Amino acid sequence: MSHDHSHACSHGHEHGQGHGHAHSHHGHAHPTPGPDDWNRAFAIGIGLNIAFVVVEALYGWKAGSLALLADAGHNLSDVAGLILAWGAALAGRLAPTRHRTYGWQRASILAALANAVLLLVAMGALAVEAFQRLQAPEPVAGWTVIVVAAIGVLINGVTAALFMVGSKDDLNIRGAFLHMAADALVSLGVVAAGVLYLQFGWVWLDPVMSLVIALVIVLGTWGLLRQSLHLAFDGVPEGIDLLEVHDWLRSQPGVTGVHDLHVWALGTSEVALTAHLVMPAGHPGDAFFTELARVLAQRFRIHHPTIQIEIDGIDDGCPAPHVPG
């Protein structure tokens, strides 16, 4: 089995026995912000949240509000999550080496997975505290809770907005976005709990609202956990139909067979493909690979294809994936 996973590109390289191999790295055309924009977003988000954690923890302690203290703890986990995501984004831009031919792109997948786990752990801790407080509800300083939590809505909302665009295309950025959007939701719930407490004097509302918020965030985080775990084990990225890719490759002029087809994520925004194409007529020329790379990038979001041409299909013992039709 002859897969070339080096980062260098070569077109039309001829092997013995008439087998051709070509690696095509098509130019990217991502509409998402560039590295400098993300650096700015991460720096602003981390700075704002560190300042808010200090303020919220102080006033949460003074006001005796579990919701505020829990939100401060969650904000602290968000700071860690943002630092993790930023580090992964920076690592993913490191150049490939002879020891790591794809660089550190997978760091973004691992950071997204860690962010999901961090969120779930934080919500678990919040739920435990809320259950304990429900057994012995305590009064809280309603206006203090409302004002501090309202500031949290603003800070977390602004930070989430910084990552909103990239959350659609990059799972690592989506993890950062979900962290901040979840925090904004928590703070909004705390505001609501404070208003209702002032109106009706329900001391049980603070921990109950914390439980409801925790449940909502867990449900929202589950998709991030599932996707990042899937990509960590080289799963086909969401939105790519392996059968459709196979059929499209098979439909290309001169192609009579496709085997050893693999599609996986190098990172949270980069997808790779390897495939053997059986072409009895021989090597199709560089124009064939250029067009192949262009369509794979535009139609399937695959920017790192490696294609091997074979005159006759070779059984190299690599099992074909089961693709339900």
Side-chain angles (χ1 to χ4, degrees), residues 283-312:
H283 195 283
D286 287 352
F288 174 85
F289 294 107
T290 300
E291 179 63 13
L292 209 67
R294 185 188 69 80
V295 178
L296 283 172
Q298 291 183 357
R299 180 173 172 179
F300 300 106
R301 296 183 298 110
I302 297 172
H303 296 89
H304 203 289
T306 303
I307 304 295
Q308 179 164 312
I309 302 301
E310 297 173 357
I311 304 304
D312 300 305

Short mmCIF file of all heavy atoms in Angstrom, two decimals, residues 283-312:
data_model
loop_
_atom_site.label_atom_id
_atom_site.label_comp_id
_atom_site.label_asym_id
_atom_site.label_seq_id
_atom_site.Cartn_x
_atom_site.Cartn_y
_atom_site.Cartn_z
N HIS A 283 -1.68 7.39 -16.98
CA HIS A 283 -1.65 8.65 -16.23
C HIS A 283 -2.46 9.73 -16.97
O HIS A 283 -2.24 9.97 -18.15
CB HIS A 283 -0.19 9.10 -16.06
CG HIS A 283 -0.03 10.16 -15.02
ND1 HIS A 283 -0.34 11.47 -15.24
CD2 HIS A 283 0.42 10.10 -13.74
CE1 HIS A 283 -0.10 12.18 -14.16
NE2 HIS A 283 0.37 11.37 -13.22
N PRO A 284 -3.38 10.43 -16.27
CA PRO A 284 -4.27 11.38 -16.96
C PRO A 284 -3.68 12.77 -17.18
O PRO A 284 -4.28 13.59 -17.88
CB PRO A 284 -5.46 11.46 -16.00
CG PRO A 284 -4.85 11.26 -14.65
CD PRO A 284 -3.74 10.27 -14.85
N GLY A 285 -2.53 13.08 -16.59
CA GLY A 285 -1.94 14.41 -16.77
C GLY A 285 -2.28 15.35 -15.62
O GLY A 285 -3.22 15.13 -14.85
N ASP A 286 -1.50 16.42 -15.51
CA ASP A 286 -1.63 17.34 -14.38
C ASP A 286 -2.97 18.06 -14.35
O ASP A 286 -3.50 18.35 -13.27
CB ASP A 286 -0.51 18.38 -14.42
CG ASP A 286 0.84 17.79 -14.04
OD1 ASP A 286 0.86 16.63 -13.60
OD2 ASP A 286 1.87 18.48 -14.19
N ALA A 287 -3.55 18.35 -15.52
CA ALA A 287 -4.81 19.08 -15.56
C ALA A 287 -5.91 18.30 -14.84
O ALA A 287 -6.79 18.89 -14.19
CB ALA A 287 -5.22 19.36 -17.00
N PHE A 288 -5.87 16.98 -14.93
CA PHE A 288 -6.85 16.13 -14.27
C PHE A 288 -6.79 16.32 -12.75
O PHE A 288 -7.82 16.48 -12.09
CB PHE A 288 -6.57 14.66 -14.63
CG PHE A 288 -7.43 13.66 -13.90
CD1 PHE A 288 -8.68 13.33 -14.38
CD2 PHE A 288 -6.96 13.03 -12.74
CE1 PHE A 288 -9.47 12.40 -13.71
CE2 PHE A 288 -7.73 12.11 -12.07
CZ PHE A 288 -9.00 11.78 -12.56
N PHE A 289 -5.58 16.35 -12.20
CA PHE A 289 -5.41 16.50 -10.76
C PHE A 289 -5.77 17.91 -10.29
O PHE A 289 -6.33 18.10 -9.20
CB PHE A 289 -3.98 16.17 -10.35
CG PHE A 289 -3.62 14.73 -10.55
CD1 PHE A 289 -2.77 14.35 -11.57
CD2 PHE A 289 -4.15 13.75 -9.73
CE1 PHE A 289 -2.44 13.02 -11.78
CE2 PHE A 289 -3.83 12.42 -9.92
CZ PHE A 289 -2.98 12.05 -10.95
N THR A 290 -5.47 18.90 -11.10
CA THR A 290 -5.81 20.28 -10.76
C THR A 290 -7.32 20.45 -10.64
O THR A 290 -7.83 21.05 -9.68
CB THR A 290 -5.27 21.25 -11.82
OG1 THR A 290 -3.85 21.13 -11.89
CG2 THR A 290 -5.63 22.69 -11.47
N GLU A 291 -8.05 19.90 -11.62
CA GLU A 291 -9.51 19.99 -11.59
C GLU A 291 -10.09 19.16 -10.44
O GLU A 291 -11.04 19.57 -9.78
CB GLU A 291 -10.08 19.52 -12.93
CG GLU A 291 -11.60 19.55 -13.03
CD GLU A 291 -12.18 20.96 -12.91
OE1 GLU A 291 -11.41 21.94 -13.00
OE2 GLU A 291 -13.42 21.06 -12.72
N LEU A 292 -9.48 18.00 -10.20
CA LEU A 292 -9.92 17.14 -9.11
C LEU A 292 -9.81 17.88 -7.77
O LEU A 292 -10.74 17.88 -6.96
CB LEU A 292 -9.06 15.87 -9.08
CG LEU A 292 -9.70 14.58 -8.54
CD1 LEU A 292 -10.80 14.11 -9.47
CD2 LEU A 292 -8.64 13.49 -8.42
N ALA A 293 -8.68 18.53 -7.55
CA ALA A 293 -8.45 19.26 -6.31
C ALA A 293 -9.41 20.43 -6.17
O ALA A 293 -9.91 20.71 -5.08
CB ALA A 293 -7.00 19.76 -6.26
N ARG A 294 -9.67 21.11 -7.28
CA ARG A 294 -10.58 22.27 -7.25
C ARG A 294 -11.98 21.86 -6.81
O ARG A 294 -12.58 22.48 -5.92
CB ARG A 294 -10.63 22.94 -8.62
CG ARG A 294 -11.46 24.23 -8.65
CD ARG A 294 -11.64 24.75 -10.07
NE ARG A 294 -12.50 23.87 -10.85
CZ ARG A 294 -13.84 23.88 -10.78
NH1 ARG A 294 -14.45 24.70 -9.93
NH2 ARG A 294 -14.55 23.06 -11.52
N VAL A 295 -12.50 20.80 -7.41
CA VAL A 295 -13.86 20.37 -7.09
C VAL A 295 -13.94 19.77 -5.68
O VAL A 295 -14.91 20.00 -4.96
CB VAL A 295 -14.37 19.36 -8.14
CG1 VAL A 295 -15.78 18.87 -7.77
CG2 VAL A 295 -14.39 19.99 -9.53
N LEU A 296 -12.93 19.00 -5.29
CA LEU A 296 -12.92 18.44 -3.95
C LEU A 296 -12.96 19.55 -2.89
O LEU A 296 -13.63 19.43 -1.87
CB LEU A 296 -11.69 17.56 -3.73
CG LEU A 296 -11.72 16.17 -4.38
CD1 LEU A 296 -10.36 15.50 -4.26
CD2 LEU A 296 -12.80 15.29 -3.73
N ALA A 297 -12.24 20.64 -3.16
CA ALA A 297 -12.21 21.76 -2.22
C ALA A 297 -13.55 22.50 -2.18
O ALA A 297 -14.08 22.79 -1.11
CB ALA A 297 -11.09 22.73 -2.58
N GLN A 298 -14.11 22.77 -3.36
CA GLN A 298 -15.33 23.56 -3.43
C GLN A 298 -16.58 22.77 -3.04
O GLN A 298 -17.45 23.27 -2.34
CB GLN A 298 -15.50 24.14 -4.84
CG GLN A 298 -14.48 25.20 -5.19
CD GLN A 298 -14.72 25.81 -6.56
OE1 GLN A 298 -15.63 25.41 -7.28
NE2 GLN A 298 -13.91 26.78 -6.93
N ARG A 299 -16.65 21.52 -3.49
CA ARG A 299 -17.87 20.74 -3.27
C ARG A 299 -17.87 19.99 -1.93
O ARG A 299 -18.91 19.89 -1.27
CB ARG A 299 -18.04 19.74 -4.41
CG ARG A 299 -19.28 18.86 -4.30
CD ARG A 299 -19.46 18.02 -5.55
NE ARG A 299 -20.52 17.04 -5.40
CZ ARG A 299 -20.90 16.19 -6.35
NH1 ARG A 299 -20.31 16.23 -7.54
NH2 ARG A 299 -21.87 15.32 -6.13
N PHE A 300 -16.69 19.48 -1.54
CA PHE A 300 -16.63 18.64 -0.35
C PHE A 300 -15.83 19.24 0.80
O PHE A 300 -15.68 18.62 1.85
CB PHE A 300 -16.04 17.27 -0.70
CG PHE A 300 -16.83 16.51 -1.74
CD1 PHE A 300 -16.36 16.40 -3.04
CD2 PHE A 300 -18.04 15.92 -1.41
CE1 PHE A 300 -17.08 15.69 -4.00
CE2 PHE A 300 -18.76 15.21 -2.36
CZ PHE A 300 -18.30 15.10 -3.66
N ARG A 301 -15.23 20.42 0.61
CA ARG A 301 -14.38 21.07 1.62
C ARG A 301 -13.17 20.21 1.97
O ARG A 301 -12.69 20.21 3.09
CB ARG A 301 -15.19 21.36 2.89
CG ARG A 301 -16.32 22.35 2.70
CD ARG A 301 -17.04 22.65 4.01
NE ARG A 301 -17.66 21.45 4.58
CZ ARG A 301 -17.22 20.86 5.68
NH1 ARG A 301 -16.16 21.32 6.32
NH2 ARG A 301 -17.84 19.79 6.14
N ILE A 302 -12.66 19.47 0.99
CA ILE A 302 -11.46 18.66 1.18
C ILE A 302 -10.31 19.38 0.49
O ILE A 302 -10.28 19.49 -0.74
CB ILE A 302 -11.65 17.25 0.58
CG1 ILE A 302 -12.77 16.51 1.32
CG2 ILE A 302 -10.35 16.46 0.64
CD1 ILE A 302 -13.16 15.19 0.69
N HIS A 303 -9.36 19.89 1.27
CA HIS A 303 -8.28 20.71 0.73
C HIS A 303 -6.93 20.00 0.69
O HIS A 303 -5.93 20.59 0.33
CB HIS A 303 -8.14 22.00 1.55
CG HIS A 303 -9.33 22.90 1.48
ND1 HIS A 303 -10.39 22.79 2.36
CD2 HIS A 303 -9.65 23.90 0.62
CE1 HIS A 303 -11.29 23.71 2.05
NE2 HIS A 303 -10.87 24.39 1.01
N HIS A 304 -6.91 18.75 1.10
CA HIS A 304 -5.62 18.05 1.16
C HIS A 304 -5.76 16.65 0.57
O HIS A 304 -5.65 15.65 1.28
CB HIS A 304 -5.18 17.98 2.63
CG HIS A 304 -3.70 17.82 2.81
ND1 HIS A 304 -3.04 16.65 2.50
CD2 HIS A 304 -2.75 18.67 3.27
CE1 HIS A 304 -1.75 16.79 2.77
NE2 HIS A 304 -1.56 18.01 3.24
N PRO A 305 -6.02 16.55 -0.76
CA PRO A 305 -6.19 15.23 -1.37
C PRO A 305 -4.87 14.60 -1.82
O PRO A 305 -3.97 15.30 -2.29
CB PRO A 305 -7.07 15.53 -2.60
CG PRO A 305 -6.70 16.92 -2.98
CD PRO A 305 -6.32 17.64 -1.70
N THR A 306 -4.75 13.32 -1.64
CA THR A 306 -3.62 12.55 -2.15
C THR A 306 -4.20 11.40 -2.99
O THR A 306 -4.91 10.56 -2.47
CB THR A 306 -2.76 11.97 -1.01
OG1 THR A 306 -2.32 13.04 -0.17
CG2 THR A 306 -1.54 11.23 -1.58
N ILE A 307 -3.88 11.42 -4.28
CA ILE A 307 -4.46 10.46 -5.22
C ILE A 307 -3.37 9.59 -5.83
O ILE A 307 -2.32 10.09 -6.26
CB ILE A 307 -5.21 11.18 -6.37
CG1 ILE A 307 -6.28 12.12 -5.82
CG2 ILE A 307 -5.80 10.18 -7.35
CD1 ILE A 307 -7.41 11.45 -5.10
N GLN A 308 -3.59 8.29 -5.85
CA GLN A 308 -2.68 7.37 -6.52
C GLN A 308 -3.38 6.75 -7.73
O GLN A 308 -4.51 6.28 -7.61
CB GLN A 308 -2.19 6.27 -5.58
CG GLN A 308 -1.25 5.27 -6.27
CD GLN A 308 -0.49 4.43 -5.28
OE1 GLN A 308 0.09 4.95 -4.33
NE2 GLN A 308 -0.47 3.12 -5.50
N ILE A 309 -2.70 6.78 -8.87
CA ILE A 309 -3.26 6.22 -10.10
C ILE A 309 -2.69 4.81 -10.32
O ILE A 309 -1.48 4.59 -10.19
CB ILE A 309 -2.92 7.11 -11.32
CG1 ILE A 309 -3.47 8.53 -11.11
CG2 ILE A 309 -3.47 6.50 -12.61
CD1 ILE A 309 -4.96 8.59 -10.89
N GLU A 310 -3.57 3.87 -10.66
CA GLU A 310 -3.17 2.51 -10.95
C GLU A 310 -3.71 2.09 -12.31
O GLU A 310 -4.85 2.42 -12.66
CB GLU A 310 -3.69 1.55 -9.88
CG GLU A 310 -3.13 1.83 -8.49
CD GLU A 310 -3.79 0.97 -7.41
OE1 GLU A 310 -4.72 0.20 -7.75
OE2 GLU A 310 -3.37 1.08 -6.25
N ILE A 311 -2.86 1.38 -13.07
CA ILE A 311 -3.31 0.87 -14.38
C ILE A 311 -4.28 -0.29 -14.16
O ILE A 311 -5.32 -0.39 -14.80
CB ILE A 311 -2.11 0.39 -15.23
CG1 ILE A 311 -1.09 1.53 -15.37
CG2 ILE A 311 -2.59 -0.09 -16.59
CD1 ILE A 311 -1.68 2.81 -15.95
N ASP A 312 -3.95 -1.16 -13.22
CA ASP A 312 -4.83 -2.25 -12.81
C ASP A 312 -5.02 -2.14 -11.30
O ASP A 312 -4.12 -1.74 -10.58
CB ASP A 312 -4.21 -3.62 -13.14
CG ASP A 312 -3.96 -3.78 -14.62
OD1 ASP A 312 -4.92 -3.62 -15.39
OD2 ASP A 312 -2.80 -4.06 -14.99
#
